[in-house]
Amino acid sequence: MTTPPGLRERKKQATRQALREAALRLAEERGPDQVRVEDIAEAAGVSPRTYNNYFASREQAIVSAVTADREARIAAAVAARPARVRLADAVTEAVVEQYTDTGEREHKALLLITTQPALRDAFLDTTAGIERPLTAVIAERLDHAEAHTARVLAASVAAAVRIALEGWLRPAGNTDAAESLAAGGLVVPSGSLADQLRTALAPLAPAFDAAERDTRP
């Protein structure tokens, strides 16, 4: 049974949420380049020093308004799948669901992110956060098999998701997504994100299947 967060943790969560909301609102109103950390902190009712306890940059705060807790939701979705569901399928569907099931507000914010190289970089960097919570869920599904197995699988999922996003955010007129993203090229999201994610995750299926076979009695 999960223990509800205490008062201190709830206050921290509320502060983080206030900063996320303020960062995105100001970025939409003024444009990301016209937003300072001090502006976000003031709008959220905290000091810049407090801001720095939560986010390392304005880009991180803006992107967090879209990606908030996504890594935890992915892990929770995998954990919620019945044990009879193939682990590779459970992971793939959880990732696709959490990256594509967005509301109008999140979609609008994502459009803003795709226009700014620094925001795109911060958005892509959030995929690394998938590893830790997913490692714990995979380890549990594999009956706590050899420690590094779950971590390698989870890290591979995080890498595959980043590759899928780079492909989806491929700049116009260039086939090398990673190189052009780094150069700040114009981004036009291409194709179905769900298809990009499934394609990137597909090569991991044999490794997931092998890990599941190794843990069967």
Side-chain angles (χ1 to χ4, degrees):
M1 179 176 171
T2 304
T3 303
L7 178 61
R8 179 182 176 85
E9 184 58 31
R10 291 198 301 273
K11 286 183 175 179
K12 290 173 65 177
Q13 291 175 357
T15 299
R16 186 182 295 276
Q17 180 65 21
L19 288 167
R20 288 170 179 154
E21 295 294 330
L24 180 58
R25 176 172 56 80
L26 291 174
E28 290 176 337
E29 291 174 356
R30 306 177 185 179
D33 290 340
Q34 303 304 315
V35 178
R36 302 177 305 159
V37 165
E38 291 80 5
D39 299 329
I40 300 172
E42 181 179 0
V46 301
S47 69
R49 182 176 179 180
T50 296
Y51 175 96
N52 291 329
N53 290 333
Y54 291 87
F55 299 107
S57 67
R58 67 182 176 188
E59 289 81 15
Q60 195 179 81
I62 294 168
V63 166
S64 181
V66 179
T67 63
D69 305 319
R70 178 179 282 157
E71 62 274 8
R73 296 197 305 271
I74 288 172
V78 174
R81 297 299 199 277
R84 65 178 180 276
V85 174
R86 181 181 174 221
L87 183 54
D89 293 338
V91 170
T92 298
E93 293 312 309
V95 168
V96 171
E97 175 185 283
Q98 293 304 322
Y99 270 91
T100 60
D101 186 14
T102 57
E104 182 179 347
R105 185 168 182 273
E106 289 81 5
H107 184 69
K108 181 180 177 182
L110 189 56
L111 290 177
L112 173 69
I113 288 170
T114 63
T115 67
Q116 300 288 326
L119 290 177
R120 294 200 304 266
D121 289 344
F123 178 66
L124 291 171
D125 287 345
T126 63
T127 59
I130 294 171
E131 181 181 338
R132 184 183 295 272
L134 190 57
T135 294
V137 172
I138 291 174
E140 186 173 350
R141 276 288 300 262
L142 297 179
D143 197 22
H144 301 280
E146 197 168 347
H148 75 276
T149 300
R151 186 176 178 186
V152 168
L153 290 171
S156 299
V157 170
V161 171
R162 184 181 180 107
I163 290 169
L165 292 176
E166 287 177 350
W168 185 62
L169 294 173
R170 178 175 294 114
N174 197 306
T175 56
D176 190 332
E179 180 180 341
S180 294
L181 284 170
L186 172 65
V187 164
V188 180
S190 57
S192 163
L193 177 55
D195 289 346
Q196 295 266 11
L197 289 165
R198 289 194 173 95
T199 298
L201 290 166
L204 303 182
F208 275 104
D209 291 344
E212 284 195 290
R213 285 195 301 271
D214 288 345
T215 58
R216 288 176 188 147

